[in-house]
Amino acid sequence: MTKIHIKNSISDTRALFYFGVVTFIYALSLGLFIQLYMIPVLLPGSNLGAGISVLDSFGFHKIASEKAIEISHQGWSAWELRPQRHFPAGLASFFYALWTPKPYALLPFNAILHALSGCLVVWSLRQYFSLLPSIIGGAVFVLNPVAMEWIAQIHRDGVFVLGNLMVVACLLQLSKNLYNFKISSAIWGLFFGLSGTAVVWLARPFWVQVIFASILLWVGLLVLLYVFTNIGVDKN
């Protein structure tokens, strides 16, 4: 039984790795196509400049470009996490200063975020379904047209979605530990929960309160479920 479990775990890990790699290639290719060809060539009327079609993204691009110039003159001490209170601009300015002050400098990072989010969706579904339906569910998330905005533009939603999915993974891990407690699983779940909360804080600080409330509600429901289940067992 243990050998079968180990074999299944290895198979799942390999599938997740390949899914992540394919998603990264897809997201990067799509981002490049949208930013370098579709918007400037096919949809020039929506092009605000540099392959950007979203007004907020263009504002982030302008702030990031100015900040990148400051960094080049003053050094990395001039970098800010939230210049003018905008995290996407701070993130973009990092890549602008590191590479080139063009929005496509951020596309590999966006692709990594999307790939990690897709893998977390697959992992979460895998807790309840077999591997193939989980992969299909992950593909639906990855191919969702709404995702094109955070793949190809300067946007906070890629980071925000990843952070929330990390918190979901934490809650699922806590659920798994309800009847079969393992210290390693609890630590793993706690790490994901805290990391996910920190990632969400970067994108949307106000949402952290919602996450804390959700975690408390989830833990409370788990405790009630555990208590009532044990009461039922004792009566029998």
Side-chain angles (χ1 to χ4, degrees), residues 58-100:
F58 189 68
F60 299 150
H61 166 64
K62 290 179 65 177
I63 296 171
S65 299
E66 294 169 0
K67 180 56 65 175
I69 293 173
E70 285 184 39
I71 294 172
S72 66
H73 290 153
Q74 303 174 25
W76 283 101
S77 60
W79 182 79
E80 297 178 66
L81 180 64
R82 291 191 178 94
Q84 300 182 32
R85 298 183 298 177
H86 294 302
F87 166 71
L91 180 64
S93 68
F94 173 80
F95 289 99
Y96 283 12
L98 200 64
W99 185 16
T100 181

Side-chain angles (χ1 to χ4, degrees), residues 125-224:
L125 291 173
R126 187 69 180 93
Q127 308 310 304
Y128 301 97
F129 305 101
S130 60
L131 184 58
L132 182 57
S134 302
I135 293 290
I136 293 173
V140 170
F141 167 83
V142 166
L143 299 174
N144 179 8
V146 176
M148 288 191 290
E149 191 166 297
W150 68 69
I151 289 174
Q153 303 288 288
I154 303 173
H155 214 282
R156 69 180 79 241
D157 278 356
V159 175
F160 180 69
V161 169
L162 176 62
N164 278 282
L165 287 171
M166 292 174 72
V167 174
V168 169
C170 161
L171 297 178
L172 290 176
Q173 197 69 13
L174 289 174
S175 302
K176 287 173 62 179
N177 265 3
L178 186 60
Y179 299 107
N180 185 24
F181 181 80
K182 292 181 180 179
I183 186 65
S184 58
S185 295
I187 292 174
W188 186 91
L190 183 63
F191 169 77
F192 253 66
L194 293 174
S195 300
T197 302
V199 171
V200 167
W201 174 81
L202 288 173
R204 288 189 170 91
F206 69 88
W207 196 255
V208 171
Q209 299 175 20
V210 178
I211 286 180
F212 282 147
S214 301
I215 291 175
L216 289 174
L217 180 62
W218 187 273
V219 171
L221 290 173
L222 288 179
V223 170
L224 288 175

Side-chain angles (χ1 to χ4, degrees), residues 15-31:
L16 270 179
F17 173 76
Y18 288 128
F19 183 87
V21 170
V22 171
T23 300
F24 171 80
I25 294 172
Y26 158 77
L28 181 58
S29 302
L30 180 64

Side-chain angles (χ1 to χ4, degrees), residues 30-37 39-40 50-52 103-104 107 152-153:
L30 180 64
L32 288 169
F33 171 76
I34 292 174
Q35 207 175 98
L36 301 181
Y37 183 75
I39 292 176
I52 293 177
Y104 61 72
L107 292 181
Q153 303 288 288

